[in-house]
Amino acid sequence: MSDSAPDSPDSPDAPFAASVPTGPLVIDIWCELQCPDCRTALDDVRALRARYGDRVDLRLRHFPLEKHKHSFAAAQAAEEALEQGRGWPYVEAVLGKVEELNRQGEPFLVESARELGLDAEEFDTALVDGRHILIVDADQAEGKAIGVTGTPTYVIAGERLDGGKSQDGLRERVEELVDRLLATPGQQDAQDTQDAQDV
């Protein structure tokens, strides 16, 4: 997801700067909402949120796979949920019921929005008018450009950790990299500054 919402950990891409980071460490999670491996990875995402809190910014990036016929529509629906302020809750709800998405397709995406109290009619309209296609296409193109081939894939500080082939040890590898990056003096100083501003 490329834009921020008040209740989600998503944030816009900031321009690259050679200076010390001033915010949370960004973890891009290349995901596909019809992917059973991404559903399994939800536990990892929850564990990362619990462990790091606001020291990391978990950003969903779309990588719909051709083998899943509803994945592109699901990515667009996730963007609509983000626009309505419930990006991650929607993503978790859809990933939690991958089999239903497989069976029902777009009607399931709209019904999931309704169950979360979102504007289901607006979801339906967004899926028809394609207002989020460019965001999904841009994410997918960027993923391909940096070597993403499957989902889930994590990208942290330019380092790609691929869980598309096997998730064995993936969370541990992510945590090891995040711990190392958060322990660097520049990142810790930036985090301390951010914590002081939040008080």
Side-chain angles (χ1 to χ4, degrees):
M1 293 181 186
S2 302
D3 297 325
S4 290
D7 74 333
S8 75
D10 309 309
S11 68
D13 291 337
F16 175 79
S19 62
V20 174
T22 58
L25 178 66
V26 173
I27 300 175
D28 283 330
I29 305 168
W30 298 87
C31 184
E32 194 243 65
L33 299 186
Q34 201 174 350
C35 171
D37 289 338
C38 290
R39 176 185 53 203
T40 303
L42 273 179
D43 288 338
D44 293 342
V45 170
R46 290 178 186 122
L48 292 170
R49 275 194 200 125
R51 180 174 176 146
Y52 299 109
D54 61 1
R55 294 182 297 157
V56 298
D57 178 10
L58 301 173
R59 295 190 310 180
L60 179 74
R61 304 298 300 272
H62 303 291
F63 201 75
L65 302 170
E66 290 181 21
K67 67 183 179 180
H68 295 136
K69 74 179 193 173
H70 304 298
S71 63
F72 198 79
Q76 293 177 73
E79 284 297 320
E80 181 59 30
L82 177 66
E83 194 167 287
Q84 292 189 29
R86 300 281 311 222
W88 276 103
Y90 182 80
V91 165
E92 290 187 24
V94 171
L95 279 172
K97 299 178 180 177
V98 169
E99 294 82 9
E100 289 185 47
L101 175 57
N102 291 341
R103 285 191 304 274
Q104 299 176 29
E106 289 185 21
F108 168 75
L109 296 170
V110 174
E111 184 56 33
S112 294
R114 183 175 288 112
E115 289 173 3
L116 286 172
L118 299 171
D119 184 342
E121 288 182 28
E122 198 60 31
F123 263 77
D124 194 40
T125 302
L127 290 171
V128 171
D129 70 20
R131 67 184 74 161
H132 302 296
I133 287 175
L134 293 178
I135 293 170
V136 175
D137 282 346
D139 275 3
Q140 189 173 44
E142 183 180 341
K144 287 179 181 177
I146 64 171
V148 174
T149 58
T151 58
T153 295
Y154 297 80
V155 178
I156 307 163
E159 188 167 335
R160 190 179 72 244
L161 302 169
D162 183 6
K165 293 183 175 69
S166 171
Q167 293 186 53
D168 291 339
L170 183 61
R171 183 191 313 174
E172 292 78 14
R173 293 190 328 244
V174 169
E175 289 175 346
E176 180 182 313
L177 177 57
V178 171
D179 288 344
R180 182 168 30 98
L181 290 169
L182 289 177
T184 61
Q187 183 66 41
Q188 188 59 49
D189 292 345
Q191 186 60 48
D192 291 344
T193 301
Q194 181 66 37
D195 290 344
Q197 291 172 352
D198 290 342
V199 173

